[in-house]
């Protein structure tokens, strides 16, 4: 599971920083999470192939989280994209994007599917045999969701020593990986538990976009491997966080602590501050495993 941070600052693009966009590579999927201005350039800088992006998740309809979307959709058309594109976002996103495309006389040569969200409780929005994605309802000035990405690890690890001891042919390895028992030529049935080890614990990533401090999300984040939680302000400006319905670095750390997550990733910094190191220092007073988001940074979410 690999996370690439394309942009991690609040509000407007600058020459040295970009507003929010991320790419999560998980189980052969390349998911784009939010799509601010400049996302296409950042994708190219990070050498992420546009053609691999089939699912885009938009947290809310503030410009620093989705103003790059129509441009990316148009670029897909110019690149002669043929396969489907799925966009998950708040109700209204379909109308906005289609209006822009119609007004500019731009039409996609591929199928564009919008999955509009309006539930204020968690919902499962994507699932296949390898991954599931659910919403995390957040508390911001407009309707906003975070997203929880979870691996599905079904394959067990083969105990080669035991498999060879029983003389089991390699054609049965796949069956063993998926929990099957094996019958030997002499009629004996060898239980899967004797031939394999438990699968690696599945990893998870929680993306909490713009939100005021809200402990109601804690149960949804319980034990996740990596939590990205916005930290627009430092604690000395907590009054601004409350007024604009954002969070401070210390508040993000408090959520991470309550949710018992493994690692906390801070981002969505206000550009009023001279150094983002202050965010880490503040959060570290409550939570030890703090990482800072930086444009272009790549993070491998480690196994347990």
């Amino acid at each position: 599971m690999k996370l690439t941070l394309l942009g991690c600052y609040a509000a407007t693009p600058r020459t040295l920083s970009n507003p929010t966009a991320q790419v999560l590579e998980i189980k052969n999927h390349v998911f784009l999470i939010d799509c601010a201005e400049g996302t296409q350039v950042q994708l190219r800088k990070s050498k992420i192939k546009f053609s691999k992006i089939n699912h885009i998740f938009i947290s809310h309809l503030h410009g620093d989280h989705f103003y790059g979307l129509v441009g990316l959709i148009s670029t897909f058309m110019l690149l002669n994209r043929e396969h489907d594109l799925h966009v998950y976002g708040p109700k209204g996103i379909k109308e906005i994007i289609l209006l822009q495309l119609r007004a500019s006389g731009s039409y996609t040569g591929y199928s564009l599917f919008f999955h509009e969200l309006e539930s204020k409780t968690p919902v499962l929005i994507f699932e296949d045999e390898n991954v599931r994605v659910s919403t995390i309802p957040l508390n911001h000035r407009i309707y906003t969701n975070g997203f929880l990405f979870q691996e599905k690890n079904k394959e067990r690890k083969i105990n080669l020593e035991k498999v060879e001891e029983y003389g089991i042919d390699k054609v049965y390895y796949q069956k063993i990986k998926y929990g099957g028992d094996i019958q030997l030529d002499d009629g004996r049935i060898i239980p899967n538990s004797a031939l394999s080890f438990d699968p690696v614990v599945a990893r998870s990533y929680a993306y909490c976009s713009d939100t005021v401090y809200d402990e109601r999300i804690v149960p949804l984040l319980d034990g996740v491997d990596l939590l990205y939680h916005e930290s627009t302000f430092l604690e000395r400006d907590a009054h601004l966080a409350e007024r604009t319905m954002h969070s401070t670095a210390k508040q993000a750390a408090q959520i991470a602590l309550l949710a018992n997550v493994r690692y906390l990733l801070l981002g969505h910094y206000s550009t009023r501050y001279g150094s983002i190191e202050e965010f880490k220092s503040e959060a570290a007073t409550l939570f030890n495993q703090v990482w800072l988001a930086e444009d272009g940074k790549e993070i491998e979410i480690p196994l347990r």
Side-chain angles (χ1 to χ4, degrees):
M1 187 185 291
K2 177 182 172 183
L3 181 69
T4 301
L5 301 161
L6 304 176
C8 59
Y9 283 78
T12 60
R14 300 186 302 168
T15 56
L16 297 176
S17 66
N18 295 274
T20 305
Q22 303 182 359
V23 167
L24 182 67
E25 297 176 55
I26 173 174
K27 294 284 189 177
N28 296 318
H29 287 291
V30 178
F31 291 148
L32 178 61
I33 310 168
D34 276 342
C35 187
E37 293 177 77
T39 294
Q40 294 188 65
V41 174
Q42 291 299 95
L43 284 168
R44 293 191 185 282
K45 285 182 177 179
S46 295
K47 294 180 170 55
I48 294 170
K49 291 185 177 180
F50 287 19
S51 61
K52 290 189 174 182
I53 299 172
N54 298 321
H55 301 271
I56 300 175
F57 301 87
I58 301 296
S59 62
H60 63 297
L61 298 181
H62 278 163
D64 58 337
H65 292 262
F66 93 107
Y67 276 178
L69 181 57
V70 69
L72 183 61
I73 288 172
S74 296
T75 294
F76 285 157
M77 175 190 64
L78 295 174
L79 295 176
N80 297 314
R81 181 188 180 102
E82 295 181 353
H83 49 281
D84 300 347
L85 178 67
H86 295 263
V87 177
Y88 307 79
K91 186 176 178 59
I93 193 169
K94 179 178 180 179
E95 179 183 3
I96 293 170
I97 297 300
L98 293 185
L99 174 63
Q100 291 175 299
L101 292 175
R102 282 196 298 267
S104 63
S106 301
Y107 298 94
T108 64
Y110 56 90
S111 295
L112 181 58
F113 296 96
F114 290 93
H115 306 266
E116 294 195 306
L117 308 172
E118 51 186 331
S119 174
K120 294 184 179 180
T121 59
V123 292
L124 179 66
I125 56 175
F126 174 81
E127 184 173 26
D128 64 10
E129 65 274 13
N130 295 315
V131 179
R132 68 194 315 267
V133 184
S134 305
T135 59
I136 303 171
L138 299 175
N139 188 1
H140 191 41
R141 299 194 303 275
I142 61 174
Y143 177 75
T144 305
N145 283 301
F147 302 103
L148 175 61
F149 301 86
Q150 297 170 295
E151 288 182 332
K152 292 181 180 180
N153 279 354
K154 297 180 179 180
E155 289 191 13
R156 299 178 64 80
K157 186 176 179 181
I158 292 177
N159 185 336
L160 288 175
E161 182 179 339
K162 287 295 183 182
V163 167
E164 291 172 359
E165 179 182 324
Y166 286 109
I168 296 172
D169 193 278
K170 289 183 179 180
V171 298
Y172 296 107
Y173 281 12
Q174 198 68 16
K175 181 178 180 180
I176 295 171
K177 284 182 179 180
Y178 283 91
D181 300 333
I182 300 297
Q183 184 171 8
L184 303 181
D185 292 341
D186 62 9
R188 285 182 296 161
I189 296 178
I190 309 301
N192 186 270
S193 59
L195 301 172
S196 66
F197 304 107
D198 289 338
V200 174
V201 176
R203 289 168 294 184
S204 54
Y205 172 58
Y207 172 80
C208 288
S209 174
D210 299 15
T211 181
V212 72
Y213 178 79
D214 190 348
E215 293 183 4
R216 288 178 295 181
I217 66 174
V218 168
L220 306 178
L221 307 175
D222 185 41
V224 301
D225 291 287
L226 178 62
L227 165 64
Y228 172 88
H229 194 291
E230 74 119 286
S231 54
T232 307
F233 297 100
L234 294 172
E235 195 64 22
R236 64 177 179 262
D237 294 315
H239 63 288
L240 295 177
E242 183 176 0
R243 190 179 76 198
T244 60
M245 300 192 75
H246 284 292
S247 298
T248 68
K250 189 172 183 179
Q251 289 171 339
Q254 180 66 19
I255 293 293
L257 185 67
L258 293 174
N260 193 34
V261 307
R262 292 179 70 202
Y263 302 98
L264 170 64
L265 179 63
L266 301 177
H268 201 264
Y269 317 112
S270 168
T271 55
R272 71 183 56 238
Y273 302 107
S275 171
I276 62 173
E277 289 296 328
E278 292 184 79
F279 290 86
K280 184 174 183 179
S281 297
E282 182 172 289
T285 62
L286 288 180
F287 190 80
N288 291 327
Q289 298 294 336
V290 180
W291 297 343
L292 291 174
E294 296 180 64
D295 290 7
K297 187 174 185 177
E298 297 178 354
I299 297 173
E300 290 284 352
I301 301 176
L303 294 169
R304 293 178 183 269

